[in-house]
Amino acid sequence: MSDERAVTDGGSGEAAQSPWFLPVVLFGGMVFGFGLGFSQMARPEVVLDFLQFEDFGLVFVMGGAAVVTGTTFFLATRLLDRAPLTGDAYTRRLKSFDRNVLVGGGIFGVGWGLSGICPGAAYASLGVGNVTILWAIAGMFLGAYLQGWWRARDATSTTTATSAD
Amino acid sequence: MVDALTQVAGAGAGAVAGANLAETAGLLLQSGEPLLPPEYFPNGWERYAIGGLFVGLGVAIIYLASGIIAGASTFLETTLSYVSDLPRFNRGKYLRSRDWRVVFTVGIVGGAAIYALLFQDGAWTTAVQPWRLFAGGILVGVGTRLGKGCTSGHGVCGVGSASRTSLVNVATFMLIAVGTAQLVAALGVSP
């Protein structure tokens, strides 16, 4: 597990390198959201059906998406030089492994199994008219805040005035 | 394999034409035996696969243009930096990416709305109870941020990167989520 070095989180994000940067991000997000809608992932019921072994379609959603990203990452890191809109190098998404990956994955699993929602699908669900999903989105922001508050507090109580990662 | 790809392409065209996907469901071997038992796919498998290809394509468009590997859950923390002074949310990499992450999320909502306008009869709302959505959302918010990613970050981009960290995270949340959902259903909570 430790062979994976932590790399920068999704590029530098030094926005506005090109006037096309935000329009392309918007377009990519729309394609992403369209896919979540089309694949029924914007419906928590369908996710819960998968987790109860009543509809295995979700395997094709994640599998189909990972085949496209995997092929793209594989080819771009070998054949392409730098991204046109930012000048960033092409990398793979490699995060360092530690206990938080397991604990966080477990907590996420309980939440996903309870509600059938995850972040991207929740935003998409709003797009298909599901205003009830605002409960989930509010919960996610609260959870992210609690996590940040707790880790900041943890960091200041264990070390003196050094900011955690 | 070629047959399967042809069928996916055919199903895609059918979907665009508004054809009933259920009628085109059922990947057949040449012998006529169903390769995928239909009882596991009550709604067919094509729309899931086609939707998944679009999800991957959205990531690929942003990646090829900018080198950025976009996941959906970092938006939660970076957006909190607009309203919170906690140093945790105001790290440089968050401040630098928070604007485009808002744009990405607006795109997700808009893209799903386009799907709804083209393929869905009016607004759709979930019957899953609000307390489940809210409590699940809190755990999802804690878990994705602690665990460094979510179903798109680890599940799609991390798995697409053959990252062992992501594969371990996905296996963990899948197992726990299956157990949780089964338990909740066994307790009679529905929907």
Side-chain angles (χ1 to χ4, degrees):
Chain A
M1 307 300 163
S2 56
D3 63 326
E4 292 178 355
R5 291 178 302 113
V7 294
T8 51
D9 189 21
S12 66
E14 304 282 2
Q17 300 261 354
S18 154
W20 286 101
F21 176 70
L22 289 179
V24 167
V25 168
L26 181 69
F27 178 68
M30 289 173 74
V31 174
F32 186 93
F34 179 89
L36 286 170
F38 196 87
S39 64
Q40 304 298 298
M41 294 299 102
R43 302 189 176 202
E45 282 89 338
V46 176
V47 175
L48 293 172
D49 280 349
F50 166 76
L51 295 172
Q52 293 165 44
F53 303 145
E54 288 165 8
D55 181 349
F56 285 86
L58 191 148
V59 170
F60 280 85
V61 182
M62 279 180 93
V67 165
V68 174
T69 58
T71 307
T72 305
F73 297 166
F74 180 85
L75 293 176
T77 51
R78 280 163 182 76
L79 303 177
L80 300 178
D81 187 17
R82 289 191 173 269
L85 299 187
T86 57
D88 284 355
Y90 291 108
T91 58
R92 292 191 296 149
R93 186 188 189 277
L94 303 176
K95 301 262 180 179
S96 59
F97 182 85
D98 54 39
R99 202 168 64 94
N100 282 343
V101 173
L102 289 175
V103 176
I107 294 172
F108 171 59
V110 175
W112 198 41
L114 178 63
S115 62
I117 65 109
C118 58
Y123 317 146
S125 201
L126 198 58
V128 302
N130 185 14
V131 287
T132 314
I133 207 71
L134 288 170
W135 284 104
I137 293 174
M140 291 192 305
F141 272 109
L142 180 58
Y145 182 81
L146 289 174
Q147 175 270 162
W149 175 79
W150 168 66
R151 289 174 90 179
R153 196 165 156 265
D154 195 46
T156 47
S157 64
T158 51
T159 62
T160 44
T162 53
S163 62
D165 65 327
Chain B
M1 190 60 201
V2 175
D3 281 348
L5 289 174
T6 311
Q7 288 208 10
V8 168
V16 171
N20 182 357
L21 280 167
E23 287 180 6
T24 62
L27 177 61
L28 300 181
L29 294 175
Q30 288 191 336
S31 64
E33 286 289 308
L35 180 64
L36 301 170
E39 65 268 27
Y40 294 150
F41 298 92
N43 301 306
W45 56 274
E46 289 92 340
R47 65 184 308 155
Y48 295 106
I50 294 163
L53 295 179
F54 273 103
V55 170
L57 187 62
V59 173
I61 288 167
I62 293 171
Y63 178 74
L64 290 173
S66 68
I68 289 171
I69 301 177
S73 61
T74 310
F75 166 76
L76 299 170
E77 270 178 307
T78 57
T79 302
L80 284 168
S81 74
Y82 290 111
V83 294
S84 169
D85 293 332
L86 271 185
R88 174 88 204 162
F89 303 128
N90 287 277
R91 290 176 289 172
K93 64 177 182 177
Y94 283 0
L95 296 179
R96 282 194 300 273
S97 72
R98 64 182 187 178
D99 290 344
W100 73 253
R101 288 184 191 279
V102 170
V103 173
F104 177 58
T105 302
V106 168
I108 294 174
V109 176
I114 289 172
Y115 155 78
L117 289 171
L118 294 178
F119 296 100
Q120 186 176 274
D121 276 339
W124 178 90
T125 49
T126 184
V128 174
Q129 301 170 62
W131 73 266
R132 291 181 74 174
L133 298 173
F134 187 64
I138 293 173
L139 294 169
V140 165
V142 172
T144 60
R145 298 297 73 225
L146 193 59
K148 308 179 186 185
C150 58
T151 35
S152 59
H154 278 307
V156 173
C157 297
V159 169
S161 300
S163 158
R164 277 197 272 168
T165 297
S166 292
L167 290 167
V168 170
N169 181 272
V170 171
T172 304
F173 76 63
M174 277 287 181
L175 283 171
I176 302 276
V178 164
T180 304
Q182 305 266 359
L183 181 67
V184 170
L187 291 172
V189 179
S190 176

